[in-house]
Amino acid sequence: MKTKTDQAVYRVVLVDDHAMVREGIRAIVERDQLIEVVGEASDGREGIELIEKIKPDIVVIDIGMPNLNGVDATRQLTRDFPKVKVIALSMHTDKRFVLAMFEAGAMGYVAKDSISEEIVRAIHAVAKGRKYISSDVAGPMIETATRQDPTYSSKEFSSVLGARERQVLQLLAEGMTSGEIAKQLSLSVHTIDTHRRNIMKKTQTHSVAELTKLAIREGLTSL
């Protein structure tokens, strides 16, 4: 526990499927006397369980993770733990990923390329109730906004599939069978097969390979 300052310390949980990334973030942010990393998780599902136990102030979460991606995990976190503030951490600077995270309830978005310079500033900003976008992300978004081409909204995809269908799609793309998915989500195999048929119908796909490509394109999995 940090004791060198009388100011409140921001309690942070790191959620990323790469241990080296988590170690790097921890080393950077804990140089700041007002930040303490109180827990780590390797995927969205594990992160939610950890956050439920320790109730941190801020969660720094990757987008592309196995089992439960950062977008859907953020949507669940902001619904179940409204006092916990979320900062997205991603290799993606494409507008649709940024919009997806903010629409899910994130308050900050930091590109992994600029993490050493921006993650501490992002934590301080969101802790004070302000939204934060790193410069590596803001630039491409401004450039896209000034084009005359129709802008992409992540709602075009998220409105097609429900939350459960998105979960099933991600797990299918990650190679799980209907039986394995049913066990993980506490559902019947029949229900999972029904979800798969509905997903294929809604997205006009015809094979698991096409579903996998779709999941990767939409940032549901990092495969």
Side-chain angles (χ1 to χ4, degrees):
M1 198 72 179
K2 297 192 176 184
T3 58
K4 293 183 180 180
T5 177
D6 294 330
Q7 292 180 273
V9 174
Y10 305 135
R11 301 171 67 252
V12 178
V13 162
L14 309 178
V15 185
D16 192 293
D17 58 331
H18 295 99
M20 290 185 64
V21 173
R22 298 196 306 271
E23 290 174 10
I25 299 171
R26 178 188 283 269
I28 293 167
V29 302
E30 289 200 329
R31 295 173 192 161
D32 189 303
Q33 292 300 309
L34 294 180
I35 301 173
E36 179 182 11
V37 175
V38 295
E40 299 182 17
S42 59
D43 62 56
R45 198 173 305 282
E46 182 183 333
I48 289 172
E49 293 174 356
L50 179 62
I51 290 156
E52 184 176 11
K53 291 178 182 177
I54 64 179
K55 302 295 193 302
D57 302 304
I58 296 168
V59 177
V60 177
I61 189 168
D62 190 14
I63 292 182
M65 296 182 294
N67 294 323
L68 185 64
N69 63 84
V71 176
D72 290 322
T74 296
R75 187 174 289 110
Q76 187 171 335
L77 284 173
T78 54
R79 181 195 67 207
D80 296 343
F81 312 103
K83 291 184 179 180
V84 177
K85 298 177 174 65
V86 178
I87 298 173
L89 179 67
S90 179
M91 57 184 286
H92 300 292
T93 59
D94 189 287
K95 180 180 178 181
R96 61 198 178 108
F97 293 106
V98 181
L99 289 176
M101 283 302 291
F102 278 110
E103 288 165 1
M107 289 191 65
Y109 196 107
V110 176
K112 284 190 175 180
D113 288 344
S114 61
I115 184 173
S116 61
E117 304 171 4
E118 308 240 23
I119 189 64
V120 172
R121 288 198 289 270
I123 290 172
H124 279 276
V126 302
K128 296 171 183 175
R130 301 196 302 265
K131 291 192 175 181
Y132 188 95
I133 303 179
S134 68
S135 56
D136 285 3
V137 177
M141 285 196 69
I142 293 171
E143 182 180 348
T144 301
T146 57
R147 292 177 188 158
Q148 304 214 340
D149 299 332
T151 56
Y152 176 93
S153 171
S154 63
K155 290 180 179 177
E156 293 176 13
F157 176 75
S158 61
S159 63
V160 171
L161 299 182
R164 182 66 78 187
E165 289 172 333
R166 288 168 59 89
Q167 284 183 307
V168 172
L169 171 58
Q170 175 174 354
L171 297 175
L172 283 170
E174 291 173 357
M176 294 181 69
T177 65
S178 293
E180 291 169 335
I181 297 171
K183 184 177 180 180
Q184 177 156 321
L185 300 182
S186 300
L187 299 171
S188 69
V189 174
H190 173 74
T191 298
I192 298 303
D193 287 338
T194 299
H195 279 312
R196 175 156 63 175
R197 287 194 297 272
N198 289 340
I199 293 167
M200 286 182 166
K201 182 177 180 180
K202 290 180 179 181
T203 59
Q204 298 182 0
T205 51
H206 304 91
S207 66
V208 173
E210 290 182 359
L211 287 176
T212 301
K213 291 179 182 178
L214 175 66
I216 294 171
R217 190 184 73 218
E218 296 300 331
L220 297 184
T221 180
S222 58
L223 293 176

